Amino acid sequence: MSRKPKNIEEPFSPEQLERLETKGDKDVQLQRQKEGIFQRNRAKRDAKDLASQVRWKRRAGVTLVVLVLVLLLMWIMTWLLTTIGDLVITVDSGAAKKGISISQDADGTDFGENGGPYKMSAKMVNEVTNITYDWLPATLDLEADGSHNGRNYLAYTFYLHNNGKETLNYQSQLQAVKAAKDADEACRVMVYKNGEPEVFAKENRGLTSSDGKPEAFEQIFKKEIPANYTPPTKEEIAAAAEQPQNKELVAHTDEEIVIQPFVDSKTVFNTEEEGLEPGATDKYTIVMWIEGEDPECLDVIRDGYVKLMWFFNIADEEL
């Protein structure tokens, strides 16, 4: 019967020990090399991720700045369209070449702030409330040149000159280019040409009439100019514009002013003036207010506004 041989541990020879140490060193080096490659790849990925984050943040910052600038530009454009003035007056290039110009004085030298001989802007009126025609001064065409607004109305006087060498026929067109909350539905526009007044209004839509048909305008009359009238100073006009609305009825004559309807939803009037001779001047005063007697003077038009543009051009030429 055979016996199982005993395990007898034999010592490593120097050659075997050297081979094992060499193999272990190679395994360690290989492991370290793999770890180094991994760390380098991870470092590269981290660097790429960091660069990507920096680029994204930079792009996001640029996008945010551009967006803010666009919004700011839109706000500025809106502000210019709605608050630069309730009235802008313009002479087109064809009329200017013929010698037509405008000014705030009869001498043709005053153009107001930021104005010129072919474009001027009236000062706007803030926080107006409805008034009625009878409360307006009878002397609006005589008070002053340029802006002479009252507490609740716009008033602006200017002059149109023929500086050319021929007699001209010119066209005059007033447009309500922008309105908010239907404020133009209850608006009245009175225009004096060389002292003669005309009044214009948007035709009433019949919102309060039983049959829904357009309602007739109120009846108004020319006003009496006080005897020995003296125009107020600029300081007096400015002070009066800050005072509560004068509600005293102004004396009027028996001569009726027929209120003319707007030509259409945007055009107040479109007229042709004939025979303006060389060196001659036409004087204009425009007055604008919200008429309390209008059936469409309702609460819904609160905080609304109306912006007008007045164009002048030579007859038979495009505006």
Side-chain angles (χ1 to χ4, degrees):
M1 187 172 184
S2 61
R3 294 181 178 178
K4 185 177 179 179
K6 296 181 180 179
N7 289 332
I8 300 175
E9 294 182 0
E10 297 181 357
F12 285 107
S13 65
E15 292 80 5
Q16 291 174 326
L17 183 60
E18 183 178 0
R19 284 198 298 269
L20 287 173
E21 290 177 347
T22 302
K23 182 180 179 182
D25 290 343
K26 288 182 178 179
D27 290 342
V28 171
Q29 291 175 1
L30 182 60
Q31 182 64 27
R32 289 178 178 176
Q33 185 176 8
K34 289 180 179 179
E35 291 177 354
I37 292 173
F38 175 76
Q39 291 175 352
R40 287 195 296 272
N41 288 337
R42 185 171 63 182
K44 289 181 179 178
R45 287 197 300 270
D46 290 343
K48 289 181 179 179
D49 291 342
L50 182 61
S52 177
Q53 291 178 7
V54 171
R55 286 195 297 270
W56 184 87
K57 289 181 180 180
R58 186 177 299 165
R59 290 172 182 171
V62 171
T63 302
L64 181 61
V65 171
V66 171
L67 181 60
V68 170
L69 290 176
V70 169
L71 292 175
L72 179 62
L73 180 60
M74 291 175 64
W75 180 85
I76 290 174
M77 291 177 66
T78 303
W79 181 84
L80 288 174
L81 287 174
T82 60
T83 64
I84 195 68
D86 288 325
L87 172 67
V88 177
I89 305 165
T90 302
V91 175
D92 84 333
S93 58
K97 290 178 181 178
K98 292 283 189 177
I100 296 294
S101 67
I102 52 177
S103 68
Q104 289 190 163
D105 65 335
D107 296 332
T109 57
D110 181 9
F111 309 111
E113 296 181 7
N114 303 318
Y118 311 116
K119 187 173 184 178
M120 297 189 303
S121 178
K123 293 180 180 178
M124 66 178 298
V125 188
N126 292 311
E127 300 179 354
V128 301
T129 187
N130 64 86
I131 57 174
T132 189
Y133 169 80
D134 286 337
W135 296 353
L136 294 171
T139 55
L140 286 172
D141 186 46
L142 306 174
E143 282 187 351
D145 294 337
S147 290
H148 46 103
N149 300 334
R151 179 66 183 88
N152 290 301
Y153 60 86
L154 177 145
Y156 188 73
T157 298
F158 69 98
Y159 300 81
L160 184 139
H161 312 275
N162 181 1
N163 302 312
K165 297 181 179 180
E166 57 181 310
T167 299
L168 298 174
N169 301 334
Y170 66 88
Q171 289 181 336
S172 172
Q173 183 181 93
L174 184 65
Q175 291 187 336
V177 295
K178 197 170 184 66
K181 296 190 175 182
D182 286 339
D184 57 336
E185 297 291 341
C187 182
R188 294 291 182 272
V189 179
M190 180 164 59
V191 175
Y192 293 85
K193 182 198 173 188
N194 297 327
E196 288 299 316
E198 285 187 285
V199 177
F200 303 86
K202 208 165 188 180
E203 195 169 42
N204 292 317
R205 296 172 291 184
L207 296 179
T208 58
S209 61
S210 58
D211 56 4
K213 294 182 179 180
E215 299 176 59
F217 297 121
E218 66 276 9
Q219 194 175 26
I220 60 174
F221 298 86
K222 285 187 177 181
K223 298 177 180 180
E224 293 182 355
I225 305 298
N228 302 320
Y229 169 73
T230 302
T233 65
K234 290 183 179 180
E235 292 74 18
E236 289 172 337
I237 292 173
E242 299 298 326
Q243 299 299 317
Q245 176 66 46
N246 181 7
K247 299 181 180 181
E248 294 181 5
L249 299 183
V250 176
H252 57 76
T253 68
D254 294 331
E255 186 177 355
E256 183 179 1
I257 300 176
V258 178
I259 299 177
Q260 305 291 335
F262 285 11
V263 174
D264 54 45
S265 62
K266 296 295 183 182
T267 306
V268 180
F269 60 76
N270 190 5
T271 62
E272 182 171 334
E273 311 298 337
E274 298 182 351
L276 186 64
E277 298 180 353
T281 296
D282 281 339
K283 178 183 177 182
Y284 287 95
T285 294
I286 179 170
V287 184
M288 182 169 63
W289 72 96
I290 301 296
E291 176 55 59
E293 297 294 331
D294 192 295
E296 295 182 57
C297 184
L298 306 170
D299 284 344
V300 293
I301 69 172
R302 286 181 182 273
D303 299 323
Y305 60 83
V306 181
K307 179 180 176 64
L308 301 177
M309 292 197 72
W310 198 340
F311 302 94
F312 289 98
N313 70 293
I314 298 300
D316 301 325
E317 293 186 7
E318 293 184 359
L319 285 172

